[in-house]
Amino acid sequence: MFHTILIANRGEIACRVAATAKRMGVRTVAVYSDADAQAAHVQACDEAVHIGGASVQDSYLQWQRILDAALQTGAQAVHPGYGFLSENADFANACAKAGLVFIGPGVDAIQAMGLKAASKQLMEKAGVPLVPGYHGADQSPALLEKEALRIGYPVLIKASAGGGGKGMRIVQQAADFDEALASCQREAKNSFGDDAVLIEKYVQRPRHIEIQVFGDTHGNVIHLHERDCSVQRRHQKVLEESPAPGLSEDMRQRMGAAAVAAAKAVNYVGAGTVEFIVEQSERGMDFFFMEMNTRLQVEHPVTEAVTGLDLVEWQLRIASGEPLPLTQAQVTVNGHAIEARICAETPDNDFLPAIGQLQVMRSPHASHFTVSPVRLDSGVREGDSISPYYDSMIAKLIVHGDTREQALARLDQALAQLHIVGVQNNVAFVRHVIRTPSFTQANLDTALIEREKALLFHQQTLSNQHAVASAMAALLRAETPEHSGWIDPWSARSKWLMQGVSNRSFEFTVNGSAIKVVLISHVRGGMRLRIADVEADFSWQDHAGELQLHWHDQDWRCHVYANAHDWHVFANTGYSSLTRVDPLAYTAPDASAGGKLTAPMPGKLLAFNVSVGDSVVAGQALAVMEAMKMEHTVAAPGKGTVAELLYAPGDQVEEGAPLLRLSVD
Ligand code: ADP
Ligand code: ADP
Ligand code: MG
């Protein structure tokens, strides 16, 4: 076994690798950018080396600096994590040349599977079923369009070098092909430096089912069963589970065998995932090879939960030359596991990534990086920030139960107990998703979110009255001297009057409505609370930070976090945020009025879709930006004429920076 490894990654996955290494007595070296000097992964490792500026180009992709750091700290091996350099054959090769073990497959296997088009040619030879499509070298638009017609619409255009759901475009009809191709190629070129595409038949009601494989340097390859990752948004996974519900034993075995064949075809060593797309029709289910990811996968904890194995430990053992710890027959699956990806994003605004400081991040009773009924893997702590430089994942919540039903109940509970304030996130959204009929009945396919959208977006889960009453209780708790915790008293008003009744009035804005509240305190015990025009008895108690409330003949429990202006109520039934209306506050006039269009977040301007002098209509796409690894379209708020373009493609822009000027006719 190695005595020292360098972890060429950041965030949650770097912490994950460090946890296993520590348990195995292996010393760890972290690398970090300017933005990550205080990051959790730096503290999780025994030593850390600074490798450059905040941008990934200037740090986590600077592989020469990473190699230097490894050599200088005496590391024998490099764990690439996922993303960044994990599937970079040049880097794996450079590690070997420098005498370092790359903890992953051989350079040939990475290369063979690195391009989706080339890997499909290889899989065809190995007898692995493929999605009907075109994966040839000729990239002339006319030929591609002809191929799309031959395959039959709808088709999917993919970046051959792609990953992370990027570049992919569904094309419903021939008329839309040109534009989709151009936009796919642009995103591919920009993200992967390679604009080659392939075309696939767009599979109907598809499920994404993948097989975890492992190979060793002695020629053994086995699989650790499947994960269903069908619940996606923007072609990126949101929920992953194992076993895949409703998969017949026969199909499970055939998929496992196909995955092992795929891995053997490239002499695979280490952890890998063979991803299949599964078509569901009246005839039953068919599976087709989509791609192979030659690395550890984000959702590997799901497999760890059902097999009881530590996949990072397996990676380290295999990379140091040991044979696979188990044979195929010794691998067993126990119970059911589900992972939810907790991301900094705004589901109600097309999942736009969000940034900001995690003012509160309180989690359920969970283990970290080890198998247990509730596990929370994260690379950030309360107080840390989600920055625009890296991807938007805050944490992964993984639950395990004897049955899917039990795992689901645990997930629902754990999500209710995961309290995040300061960064918009998908916790409440994921909770809605797992409660939909489609998900509870395991009616899974990649359109689940779209199909259930009426239950998922713009949902109010806690009534305004309960939210307001909860905030009032927190406010009173903050005024009591013995309270301790996060809440700042927002004002030091006088305590109760000594006789009669004291009335205090407040106003909150919640879900867009202003609600007037009157607190009526009687000297001899008891309070009444009037919310809008409903008045009722009100009482509250604090149980170690959790508030227990009674109002209007209802009882509930919640946690409330507040700062000077905002109140965040997390009840078991749902979440709500409120703002206290301060009658003295001055609201600045909206500076964006007058036809300026601004960047939704810091990022890179990729292209303008319009030129000066063009007339545009409301909703028309004007510019495309990239931020946090995703493309975002900036659309016209109304009719107008483009007066000026304020940046050039390729420019880095700040959040809120005007990108162009529209004159309103
Ligand atoms: P995995 O295949 O491991 O489940 P994904 O398919 O979601 O992970 O992402 C593929 C790659 O893209 C991974 O290497 C991951 O690091 C990276 N990635 C993670 N999050 C994002 C994101 N929000 N946008 C783009 N790429 C991402
Ligand atoms: P990436 O490298 O970005 O992960 P994949 O090829 O793995 O790209 O595809 C990502 C997702 O896109 C899949 O999980 C699936 O939801 C969807 N997808 C991919 N290929 C098809 C297809 N041929 N038909 C329908 N959906 C597809
Ligand atoms: Mg994929």
mmCIF file of all heavy atoms in Angstrom, residues 598-623:
data_model
loop_
_atom_site.group_PDB
_atom_site.id
_atom_site.type_symbol
_atom_site.label_atom_id
_atom_site.label_comp_id
_atom_site.label_asym_id
_atom_site.label_seq_id
_atom_site.Cartn_x
_atom_site.Cartn_y
_atom_site.Cartn_z
ATOM 1 N N THR A 598 -28.673 42.322 -17.848
ATOM 2 C CA THR A 598 -27.533 42.057 -16.984
ATOM 3 C C THR A 598 -27.220 40.577 -16.849
ATOM 4 O O THR A 598 -28.073 39.728 -17.066
ATOM 5 C CB THR A 598 -27.803 42.636 -15.582
ATOM 6 O OG1 THR A 598 -29.015 42.059 -15.125
ATOM 7 C CG2 THR A 598 -27.941 44.129 -15.624
ATOM 8 N N ALA A 599 -25.989 40.320 -16.479
ATOM 9 C CA ALA A 599 -25.542 38.947 -16.273
ATOM 10 C C ALA A 599 -26.206 38.392 -15.023
ATOM 11 O O ALA A 599 -26.165 39.024 -13.977
ATOM 12 C CB ALA A 599 -24.024 38.919 -16.102
ATOM 13 N N PRO A 600 -26.820 37.198 -15.109
ATOM 14 C CA PRO A 600 -27.489 36.650 -13.936
ATOM 15 C C PRO A 600 -26.500 36.232 -12.851
ATOM 16 O O PRO A 600 -26.863 36.132 -11.683
ATOM 17 C CB PRO A 600 -28.231 35.434 -14.485
ATOM 18 C CG PRO A 600 -27.542 35.077 -15.757
ATOM 19 C CD PRO A 600 -26.958 36.346 -16.293
ATOM 20 N N MET A 601 -25.272 35.981 -13.222
ATOM 21 C CA MET A 601 -24.232 35.602 -12.258
ATOM 22 C C MET A 601 -22.880 35.802 -12.900
ATOM 23 O O MET A 601 -22.789 35.999 -14.091
ATOM 24 C CB MET A 601 -24.423 34.149 -11.823
ATOM 25 C CG MET A 601 -24.423 33.188 -12.966
ATOM 26 S SD MET A 601 -24.806 31.525 -12.448
ATOM 27 C CE MET A 601 -24.830 31.653 -10.708
ATOM 28 N N PRO A 602 -21.813 35.809 -12.095
ATOM 29 C CA PRO A 602 -20.500 35.998 -12.692
ATOM 30 C C PRO A 602 -20.202 34.835 -13.639
ATOM 31 O O PRO A 602 -20.560 33.703 -13.342
ATOM 32 C CB PRO A 602 -19.531 35.952 -11.505
ATOM 33 C CG PRO A 602 -20.365 35.820 -10.288
ATOM 34 C CD PRO A 602 -21.751 35.512 -10.662
ATOM 35 N N GLY A 603 -19.578 35.125 -14.755
ATOM 36 C CA GLY A 603 -19.300 34.042 -15.691
ATOM 37 C C GLY A 603 -18.674 34.569 -16.953
ATOM 38 O O GLY A 603 -18.206 35.712 -17.016
ATOM 39 N N LYS A 604 -18.685 33.712 -17.985
ATOM 40 C CA LYS A 604 -18.051 34.087 -19.241
ATOM 41 C C LYS A 604 -19.134 34.312 -20.280
ATOM 42 O O LYS A 604 -20.048 33.505 -20.414
ATOM 43 C CB LYS A 604 -17.109 32.962 -19.672
ATOM 44 C CG LYS A 604 -16.327 33.295 -20.921
ATOM 45 C CD LYS A 604 -15.041 32.501 -20.987
ATOM 46 C CE LYS A 604 -15.224 31.290 -21.875
ATOM 47 N NZ LYS A 604 -14.026 30.478 -21.982
ATOM 48 N N LEU A 605 -19.005 35.403 -21.018
ATOM 49 C CA LEU A 605 -19.929 35.644 -22.120
ATOM 50 C C LEU A 605 -19.488 34.783 -23.298
ATOM 51 O O LEU A 605 -18.341 34.861 -23.737
ATOM 52 C CB LEU A 605 -19.899 37.119 -22.506
ATOM 53 C CG LEU A 605 -20.818 37.432 -23.685
ATOM 54 C CD1 LEU A 605 -22.264 37.346 -23.265
ATOM 55 C CD2 LEU A 605 -20.512 38.791 -24.256
ATOM 56 N N LEU A 606 -20.386 33.932 -23.780
ATOM 57 C CA LEU A 606 -19.998 33.041 -24.889
ATOM 58 C C LEU A 606 -20.333 33.645 -26.240
ATOM 59 O O LEU A 606 -19.541 33.597 -27.159
ATOM 60 C CB LEU A 606 -20.724 31.699 -24.748
ATOM 61 C CG LEU A 606 -20.398 30.884 -23.496
ATOM 62 C CD1 LEU A 606 -21.168 29.580 -23.520
ATOM 63 C CD2 LEU A 606 -18.900 30.605 -23.408
ATOM 64 N N ALA A 607 -21.542 34.187 -26.362
ATOM 65 C CA ALA A 607 -21.945 34.694 -27.672
ATOM 66 C C ALA A 607 -23.130 35.625 -27.533
ATOM 67 O O ALA A 607 -23.915 35.503 -26.593
ATOM 68 C CB ALA A 607 -22.334 33.525 -28.570
ATOM 69 N N PHE A 608 -23.225 36.559 -28.478
ATOM 70 C CA PHE A 608 -24.465 37.326 -28.639
ATOM 71 C C PHE A 608 -25.247 36.688 -29.772
ATOM 72 O O PHE A 608 -24.669 36.314 -30.800
ATOM 73 C CB PHE A 608 -24.151 38.779 -28.997
ATOM 74 C CG PHE A 608 -23.729 39.598 -27.806
ATOM 75 C CD1 PHE A 608 -22.426 40.064 -27.687
ATOM 76 C CD2 PHE A 608 -24.643 39.896 -26.806
ATOM 77 C CE1 PHE A 608 -22.032 40.820 -26.593
ATOM 78 C CE2 PHE A 608 -24.258 40.655 -25.706
ATOM 79 C CZ PHE A 608 -22.956 41.114 -25.600
ATOM 80 N N ASN A 609 -26.548 36.556 -29.613
ATOM 81 C CA ASN A 609 -27.372 36.014 -30.688
ATOM 82 C C ASN A 609 -27.927 37.138 -31.551
ATOM 83 O O ASN A 609 -28.658 36.897 -32.482
ATOM 84 C CB ASN A 609 -28.578 35.249 -30.125
ATOM 85 C CG ASN A 609 -28.180 34.175 -29.144
ATOM 86 O OD1 ASN A 609 -27.089 34.238 -28.593
ATOM 87 N ND2 ASN A 609 -29.024 33.207 -28.938
ATOM 88 N N VAL A 610 -27.616 38.394 -31.189
ATOM 89 C CA VAL A 610 -28.158 39.546 -31.909
ATOM 90 C C VAL A 610 -27.032 40.539 -32.200
ATOM 91 O O VAL A 610 -25.966 40.458 -31.592
ATOM 92 C CB VAL A 610 -29.245 40.259 -31.060
ATOM 93 C CG1 VAL A 610 -30.492 39.400 -30.947
ATOM 94 C CG2 VAL A 610 -28.707 40.610 -29.671
ATOM 95 N N SER A 611 -27.285 41.450 -33.136
ATOM 96 C CA SER A 611 -26.308 42.500 -33.445
ATOM 97 C C SER A 611 -26.966 43.856 -33.225
ATOM 98 O O SER A 611 -28.203 43.956 -33.157
ATOM 99 C CB SER A 611 -25.854 42.430 -34.901
ATOM 100 O OG SER A 611 -25.709 41.104 -35.293
ATOM 101 N N VAL A 612 -26.143 44.899 -33.197
ATOM 102 C CA VAL A 612 -26.659 46.257 -33.027
ATOM 103 C C VAL A 612 -27.616 46.559 -34.174
ATOM 104 O O VAL A 612 -27.333 46.247 -35.327
ATOM 105 C CB VAL A 612 -25.494 47.280 -32.998
ATOM 106 C CG1 VAL A 612 -26.025 48.716 -33.019
ATOM 107 C CG2 VAL A 612 -24.624 47.043 -31.770
ATOM 108 N N GLY A 613 -28.767 47.122 -33.817
ATOM 109 C CA GLY A 613 -29.752 47.475 -34.834
ATOM 110 C C GLY A 613 -30.861 46.445 -34.967
ATOM 111 O O GLY A 613 -31.922 46.736 -35.519
ATOM 112 N N ASP A 614 -30.665 45.231 -34.463
ATOM 113 C CA ASP A 614 -31.711 44.202 -34.553
ATOM 114 C C ASP A 614 -32.906 44.581 -33.682
ATOM 115 O O ASP A 614 -32.732 45.075 -32.571
ATOM 116 C CB ASP A 614 -31.198 42.848 -34.021
ATOM 117 C CG ASP A 614 -30.229 42.174 -34.988
ATOM 118 O OD1 ASP A 614 -29.983 42.750 -36.075
ATOM 119 O OD2 ASP A 614 -29.722 41.087 -34.649
ATOM 120 N N SER A 615 -34.113 44.320 -34.192
ATOM 121 C CA SER A 615 -35.254 44.469 -33.281
ATOM 122 C C SER A 615 -35.544 43.111 -32.661
ATOM 123 O O SER A 615 -35.414 42.074 -33.309
ATOM 124 C CB SER A 615 -36.512 44.995 -33.972
ATOM 125 O OG SER A 615 -36.319 45.134 -35.328
ATOM 126 N N VAL A 616 -35.915 43.164 -31.412
ATOM 127 C CA VAL A 616 -36.133 41.918 -30.673
ATOM 128 C C VAL A 616 -37.496 41.948 -30.004
ATOM 129 O O VAL A 616 -38.071 43.020 -29.789
ATOM 130 C CB VAL A 616 -35.030 41.696 -29.606
ATOM 131 C CG1 VAL A 616 -33.667 41.598 -30.262
ATOM 132 C CG2 VAL A 616 -35.043 42.786 -28.553
ATOM 133 N N VAL A 617 -38.009 40.755 -29.705
ATOM 134 C CA VAL A 617 -39.290 40.660 -29.002
ATOM 135 C C VAL A 617 -39.060 40.032 -27.628
ATOM 136 O O VAL A 617 -38.016 39.429 -27.380
ATOM 137 C CB VAL A 617 -40.304 39.814 -29.809
ATOM 138 C CG1 VAL A 617 -40.643 40.484 -31.125
ATOM 139 C CG2 VAL A 617 -39.771 38.404 -30.032
ATOM 140 N N ALA A 618 -40.073 40.166 -26.782
ATOM 141 C CA ALA A 618 -39.952 39.644 -25.415
ATOM 142 C C ALA A 618 -39.627 38.158 -25.436
ATOM 143 O O ALA A 618 -40.193 37.399 -26.210
ATOM 144 C CB ALA A 618 -41.261 39.867 -24.657
ATOM 145 N N GLY A 619 -38.695 37.763 -24.613
ATOM 146 C CA GLY A 619 -38.360 36.344 -24.488
ATOM 147 C C GLY A 619 -37.320 35.878 -25.486
ATOM 148 O O GLY A 619 -36.821 34.754 -25.396
ATOM 149 N N GLN A 620 -36.971 36.727 -26.452
ATOM 150 C CA GLN A 620 -35.983 36.325 -27.455
ATOM 151 C C GLN A 620 -34.596 36.190 -26.817
ATOM 152 O O GLN A 620 -34.191 37.024 -26.002
ATOM 153 C CB GLN A 620 -35.947 37.380 -28.571
ATOM 154 C CG GLN A 620 -35.021 37.012 -29.712
ATOM 155 C CD GLN A 620 -35.145 38.003 -30.870
ATOM 156 O OE1 GLN A 620 -36.157 38.706 -30.997
ATOM 157 N NE2 GLN A 620 -34.123 38.071 -31.696
ATOM 158 N N ALA A 621 -33.882 35.137 -27.214
ATOM 159 C CA ALA A 621 -32.542 34.917 -26.665
ATOM 160 C C ALA A 621 -31.596 35.971 -27.214
ATOM 161 O O ALA A 621 -31.509 36.162 -28.433
ATOM 162 C CB ALA A 621 -32.054 33.527 -27.042
ATOM 163 N N LEU A 622 -30.901 36.686 -26.330
ATOM 164 C CA LEU A 622 -30.017 37.763 -26.770
ATOM 165 C C LEU A 622 -28.552 37.383 -26.629
ATOM 166 O O LEU A 622 -27.718 37.742 -27.445
ATOM 167 C CB LEU A 622 -30.269 39.015 -25.926
ATOM 168 C CG LEU A 622 -31.694 39.554 -25.941
ATOM 169 C CD1 LEU A 622 -31.785 40.769 -25.044
ATOM 170 C CD2 LEU A 622 -32.120 39.895 -27.359
ATOM 171 N N ALA A 623 -28.240 36.681 -25.551
ATOM 172 C CA ALA A 623 -26.842 36.372 -25.282
ATOM 173 C C ALA A 623 -26.781 35.041 -24.549
ATOM 174 O O ALA A 623 -27.746 34.630 -23.905
ATOM 175 C CB ALA A 623 -26.206 37.465 -24.426
#
